[in-house]
Amino acid sequence: MATINANFLKLKAGYLFPEIARRVRAYSEANPAQASRIIRCGIGDVTEPLPAAAVEAMRAGVEELGRRETFKGYGPEQGYEFLRQAIVEHQFAGLGISADEVFISDGSKCDTGNILDIFGQGNIIAITDPVYPVYVDTNVMAGNTGDADAKGTYAGLLYLPCHPANGFVAAVPNEHADLIYLCFPNNPTGAVASRAQLEAWVAYAREHDAILLFDAAYEAFIQDPAIPHSIFEIEGAHECAIEFRSFSKNGGFTGVRCGYVIIPKSVTGSDGMGGRVPLNQLWSRRHSTKFNGASYPVQKAAAAIFSEAGKAQVAGLIDHYMGNAKLLREACTAAGLSVFGGVDAPYVWVACPAGLSSWDMFDKMLSEAQVVITPGSGFGSAGEGFFRISAFNSRSNVEEVCRRLLALLG
Ligand SMILES: *Cc1c(COP(=O)(O)O)cnc(C)c1O
């Protein structure tokens, strides 16, 4: 008899995005005349084509694989040296990170989920609420939680509520935690953490012998020069933090797939018997056992993001999306709504009109304006009463969404 991992049975059936898709499908079938008007600002996926520098490099990489003289088979599991070196030079200059502390992967979703492989059972896990659902669900699968209640809150997790009063940046808790997930700029709230707030988290982690799992997938969207892009800008983080980065949102690689993890060799965990083990070594073992490297043309394309042309093209993409975010912020404000985020992040986080729940607002926007948003409650119970609008769209779609928002609520 093959038994299953019964932790999977604890997962809430209606994962957010399938439920959104189900409601959009049901609406389209019932209202075929309106279906073509639907504009999707729901799922956080990029819309603009790849930077030309990445396309060119990927094409050249494929050509190399197509010739006997330059053909390559399996590459290093950790990623090619040319990409790891480019990352160190262009993203972590002066931050004391070396190429053997960089692990290339096929994306951050996998990395943030897989990282649990190297941690033991019984850790106290802290997550912010609302949160990127991957952090929660992977802990459920790993057996780090109890059951969920009706609101989808799992027993055994330490939830750190984020709301307007704390600017959607959780303060360090009074309780002990062993692993803390932080995501800045934040998905879904668009909040960023100041240097002082990150310093407080590093101090907490050092005091509690905890590890910060820092997801910086949106660092390229930071506009304010005072906001740190990396946790390793904070002194002491090299002993207590792991950082996740991705080419998905800056380079538009959501369909190409490339990300990376930074694990300084000085970050260690307890073996439970008084010894300390470097996490870099464990992850290296895990990565080379379960992963065979990201594809060569993809790594060539990723490295091209750091060329002069690539940097200029990425800056153009960021400007485009942040211009969208500004328009969405202005339209929501003009419609009388309380607006957060969207300044250093491509997500605008909005309080629902009085009396409407997150899903009420979702249904209203879909049925009366044919605009798909993301209900805040899908990211955790503290997200109830809010909705997320993604700035990942064409300018004309965003302008139309703004017009419809004002017509609906203004
Ligand atoms: C989009 C996103 C990522 C990146 O995921 P990939 O698997 O690299 O595409 C990571 N973290 C968060 C919070 C995200 O929203």
Side-chain angles (χ1 to χ4, degrees):
M1 182 176 64
T3 61
I4 57 144
N5 176 350
N7 294 313
F8 278 64
L9 304 178
K10 297 178 196 164
L11 293 166
K12 293 283 285 177
Y15 176 68
L16 176 61
F17 293 104
E19 176 60 17
I20 290 175
R22 194 191 64 75
R23 291 194 190 205
V24 172
R25 205 162 46 240
Y27 174 79
S28 303
E29 281 165 15
N31 304 276
Q34 302 296 329
S36 65
R37 265 176 59 85
I38 292 175
I39 300 178
R40 290 176 166 77
C41 302
I43 197 157
D45 194 359
V46 295
T47 56
E48 303 308 294
L50 290 175
V55 174
E56 224 169 275
M58 199 182 317
R59 198 174 276 141
V62 172
E63 292 297 336
E64 282 183 59
L65 297 187
R67 282 192 304 272
R68 177 168 302 280
E69 307 75 51
T70 47
F71 172 77
K72 288 173 176 51
Y74 291 124
E77 290 98 347
Q78 194 170 340
Y80 282 98
E81 180 76 17
F82 67 79
L83 179 55
R84 289 187 287 126
Q85 202 56 50
I87 287 168
V88 166
E89 280 167 28
H90 294 276
Q91 300 279 271
F92 296 92
L95 298 184
I97 299 295
S98 59
D100 58 358
E101 297 173 322
V102 181
F103 297 84
I104 310 298
S105 73
D106 56 354
S108 273
K109 185 195 244 190
C110 322
D111 288 334
T112 53
N114 290 335
I115 198 72
L116 290 173
D117 273 7
I118 66 167
F119 292 105
Q121 296 290 308
N123 283 318
I124 298 176
I125 317 283
I127 58 150
T128 56
D129 179 9
V131 74
Y132 181 53
V134 176
Y135 312 151
V136 176
D137 287 0
T138 54
N139 273 290
V140 175
M141 293 174 182
N144 291 338
T145 74
D147 289 322
D149 67 13
K151 284 179 167 172
T153 303
Y154 286 92
L157 288 181
L158 176 58
Y159 286 90
L160 308 173
C162 297
H163 36 67
N166 60 15
F168 295 97
V169 179
V172 301
N174 295 322
E175 300 97 318
H176 172 81
D178 298 298
L179 291 178
I180 302 108
Y181 289 83
L182 297 177
C183 174
F184 293 112
N186 190 260
N187 175 11
T189 66
V192 284
S194 68
R195 181 171 295 274
Q197 287 167 323
L198 293 178
E199 282 169 354
W201 273 111
V202 168
Y204 173 92
R206 290 169 66 91
E207 185 187 330
H208 287 262
D209 196 5
I211 301 290
L212 302 178
L213 300 172
F214 191 80
D215 185 343
Y218 296 96
E219 60 78 29
F221 294 84
I222 294 173
Q223 308 290 308
D224 180 348
I227 299 292
H229 287 236
S230 168
I231 193 68
F232 300 117
E233 292 178 45
I234 308 299
E235 206 184 317
H238 296 68
E239 279 71 53
C240 65
I242 292 175
E243 183 161 310
F244 301 92
R245 294 260 186 130
S246 171
F247 292 94
S248 282
K249 310 297 162 42
N250 58 348
F253 274 36
T254 54
V256 174
R257 311 307 305 140
C258 197
Y260 54 99
V261 185
I262 307 287
I263 310 185
K265 291 193 284 287
S266 42
V267 183
T268 62
S270 164
D271 66 5
M273 297 176 294
R276 305 291 301 189
V277 181
L279 299 185
N280 178 292
Q281 192 181 303
L282 293 185
W283 184 250
S284 179
R285 189 71 171 84
R286 188 264 168 218
H287 203 60
S288 53
T289 299
K290 293 195 180 181
F291 189 64
N292 245 340
S295 104
Y296 175 70
V298 163
Q299 292 190 61
K300 290 298 270 187
I305 291 292
F306 303 121
S307 65
E308 285 313 307
K311 279 182 182 170
Q313 289 156 10
V314 167
L317 287 171
I318 302 288
D319 281 352
H320 167 76
Y321 292 127
M322 293 313 292
N324 287 349
K326 183 168 185 286
L327 292 175
L328 290 165
R329 277 184 59 88
E330 287 167 359
C332 290
T333 305
L337 301 171
S338 295
V339 181
F340 307 91
V343 176
D344 294 293
Y347 296 118
V348 181
W349 184 249
V350 190
C352 298
L356 293 189
S357 73
S358 294
W359 279 110
D360 290 344
M361 187 62 183
F362 174 90
D363 289 333
K364 183 179 174 69
M365 289 285 282
L366 177 60
S367 62
E368 296 174 35
Q370 291 78 48
V371 173
V372 180
I373 53 165
T374 317
S377 57
F379 298 102
S381 62
E384 180 56 89
F386 294 89
F387 63 96
R388 188 190 77 175
I389 310 186
S390 163
F392 291 124
N393 226 320
S394 66
R395 183 56 52 86
S396 59
N397 271 352
V398 165
E399 286 167 350
E400 178 61 17
V401 167
C402 292
R403 276 192 290 275
R404 292 189 201 172
L405 257 168
L406 282 167
L408 183 67
L409 304 167

